[in-house]
Amino acid sequence: MSLTAQIMDEKAVSRAITRICYEIVEKNRGSEGICIVGIFTRGAYLAQRIAGKISELEQRKIPIGYLDITPYRDDVSRDKPIQDRTQLDFDIQDKKVVLVDDVLYTGRSVRAAIDALMARGRPDKIQLAALIDRGHRELPLRPDFIGKNVPTSREEKVIVRLKEADGIDQVTIIKETEETK
């Protein structure tokens, strides 16, 4: 049997995204030179929301792109060709790139995302925004903007559901019990 606990509902997800937007603008002293890049899949949806909210706050269009990290992952077999779905319709050279992901865990996805970005140019800086930081880092990475810190065990799984993909905004934790292992 698995135990499930909801840690964020729709309102909590919305508040976390709004807080992240204000923190991005404050830390960067405005939105000049900022671009938002979401990691497929749910990081891309979050990036859309963040870019839209910052555009609304700052009265300027914020460039947004989407990053497919599959070709840069260290756990993917290279036997078959990998299609790169990255969509960056702007130059990241000398820009402040805010990389967006739904859950930060070991840091390996973020490492792959940084490699993918650096293959496309040299940003002025890369900042990291994560809706959920669950700890257990295997690499020395730290997010700049966090929606919620959620201490977890390795046996737990954090599930982020977003309206764009799942029809609902919600974050839950599932804990596998001995019977389900």
Side-chain angles (χ1 to χ4, degrees), residues 126-179:
I126 300 173
Q127 298 171 330
L128 177 60
L131 182 62
I132 303 294
D133 182 357
R134 64 171 290 190
H136 302 287
R137 225 67 88 237
E138 294 175 5
L139 299 171
L141 297 169
R142 179 181 51 83
D144 299 280
F145 314 105
I146 304 166
K148 186 172 183 78
N149 279 301
V150 181
T152 62
S153 71
R154 291 194 179 270
E155 291 76 39
E156 292 173 316
K157 187 172 184 179
V158 175
I159 308 293
V160 173
R161 291 185 180 90
L162 297 174
K163 284 182 184 175
E164 296 88 342
D166 310 299
I168 189 171
D169 284 347
Q170 175 183 76
V171 180
T172 56
I173 294 180
I174 298 174
K175 181 170 176 102
E176 298 294 324
T177 60
E178 286 301 317
E179 298 94 41

Side-chain angles (χ1 to χ4, degrees), residues 53 69 98 133:
K53 185 74 164 174
I69 63 169
V98 179
D133 182 357

Side-chain angles (χ1 to χ4, degrees), residues 88-112:
L88 285 177
D89 300 330
F90 52 88
D91 188 7
I92 63 168
Q93 191 73 28
D94 299 322
K95 295 280 193 302
K96 299 173 198 166
V97 176
V98 179
L99 191 59
V100 181
D101 204 1
D102 58 346
V103 178
L104 180 57
Y105 184 34
T106 63
R108 293 187 178 277
S109 293
V110 173
R111 189 236 9 113

Side-chain angles (χ1 to χ4, degrees), residues 13 30 40 47 123:
V13 170
F40 278 121

Side-chain angles (χ1 to χ4, degrees), residues 74-86:
D74 59 9
D75 60 349
V76 173
S77 170
R78 303 284 183 237
D79 296 342
K80 299 178 208 162
I82 298 170
Q83 180 183 0
D84 187 350
R85 303 175 298 148
T86 295

